[in-house]
C-alpha cells in the first residue's frame, strides 16, 4: 500500500510543532527561573548570519503551510512574522497547526505527480509534489525545528533529545 501525501506530511509536521511548543515552554520557564530576559532567548542566533529563534519558528510555520498550499492549490493563511514573545510564538504554532488540521486529505492525496513550483529569489525550482514534500518541505521544516532547538541548547536551556523528538 502506498503512503498518501497527507499521511507523509501532516503527522510529521504536527508532531514537530508539538515538540517545538513544548521546548519553547521549557525555555520560557527556564528563563524565568534563571532571571534571564525572554528577549535574550528570542533574539538568540547560532551565528551572526543566521536568523534568530523567532524566525526559526516562523520559517517552520511557513514551510509547513507552504507544503499544503502548493500541493493542494489552497489559499494560504497569511501570518505577519511579527512574533516578539514566547506567547506570540505559541500562537503562531497553534494557528499553523489549526491550518494543517483544516486541510482536507483530498486536497493533496493522489497528487504525487502534480507539478509544484517553488519561487525563490534565485529563481523557480520545479518539483513533483512527492519530491517537493520529501526533498523540500520535510527537510526544511526539520532544519528550522532543529535550529530552534540548538539555539535554546546553546543558550543553556536544559533540553534533551526526547524534548526534540516529542511525545510518542
Amino acid at each position: 500500500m502506498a503512503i498518501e501525501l497527507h499521511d507523509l506530511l501532516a503527522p510529521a509536521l504536527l508532531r514537530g510543532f508539538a515538540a517545538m511548543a513544548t521546548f519553547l515552554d521549557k525555555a520560557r520557564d527556564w528563563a524565568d527561573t534563571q532571571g534571564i530576559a525572554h528577549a535574550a532567548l528570542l533574539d538568540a542566533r547560532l551565528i551572526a548570519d543566521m536568523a534568530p529563534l523567532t524566525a526559526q519558528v516562523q520559517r517552520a510555520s511557513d514551510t509547513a503551510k507552504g507544503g499544503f498550499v502548493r500541493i493542494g492549490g489552497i489559499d494560504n493563511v497569511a501570518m505577519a512574522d511579527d512574533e516578539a514573545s514566547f506567547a506570540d510564538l505559541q500562537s503562531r504554532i497553534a494557528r499553523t497547526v489549526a491550518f494543517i488540521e483544516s486541510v482536507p486529505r483530498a486536497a493533496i492525496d493522489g497528487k504525487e505527480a502534480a507539478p509544484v513550483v517553488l519561487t525563490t529569489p534565485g529563481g523557480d525550482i520545479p518539483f513533483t509534489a512527492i519530491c517537493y514534500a520529501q526533498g523540500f518541505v520535510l527537510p526544511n521544516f526539520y532544519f528550522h525545528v532543529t535550529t530552534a532547538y540548538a539555539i535554546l541548547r546553546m543558550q543553556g536551556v536544559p533540553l534533551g533529545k526526547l524534548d526534540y523528538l516529542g511525545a510518542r
Side-chain angles (χ1 to χ4, degrees):
M1 179 171 112
I3 190 164
E4 298 284 354
L5 281 171
H6 191 277
D7 294 332
L8 176 69
L9 290 176
L13 298 172
L14 294 174
R15 184 176 177 162
F17 281 123
M20 183 181 271
T22 298
F23 65 68
L24 288 173
D25 278 344
K26 287 185 176 189
R28 183 201 61 232
D29 293 346
W30 178 80
D32 290 345
T33 63
Q34 299 298 310
I36 296 170
H38 290 182
L41 298 179
L42 297 166
D43 297 336
R45 303 164 186 261
L46 288 180
I47 193 162
D49 67 348
M50 287 184 77
L53 177 65
T54 52
Q56 300 304 326
V57 176
Q58 293 160 354
R59 296 301 72 77
S61 167
D62 291 344
T63 298
K65 291 186 305 150
F68 290 96
V69 167
R70 288 183 184 95
I71 293 170
I74 59 176
D75 291 333
N76 194 8
V77 173
M79 297 184 189
D81 292 348
D82 58 1
E83 292 80 15
S85 69
F86 283 107
D88 291 345
L89 293 176
Q90 293 291 9
S91 175
R92 173 78 176 241
I93 290 170
R95 288 180 289 139
T96 305
V97 165
F99 173 78
I100 292 168
E101 290 175 339
S102 76
V103 176
R105 296 181 67 88
I108 65 169
D109 281 351
K111 295 187 176 178
E112 293 79 11
V116 172
V117 176
L118 178 63
T119 300
T120 72
D124 290 348
I125 305 170
F127 294 94
T128 61
I130 189 70
C131 289
Y132 173 64
Q134 292 176 319
F136 181 82
V137 175
L138 290 173
N140 195 52
F141 174 76
Y142 285 124
F143 172 85
H144 291 292
V145 174
T146 301
T147 302
Y149 171 89
I151 288 169
L152 294 173
R153 287 287 292 134
M154 182 189 75
Q155 294 298 309
V157 178
L159 298 172
K161 187 174 184 178
L162 291 179
D163 294 304
Y164 174 83
L165 294 175
R168 292 212 165 262

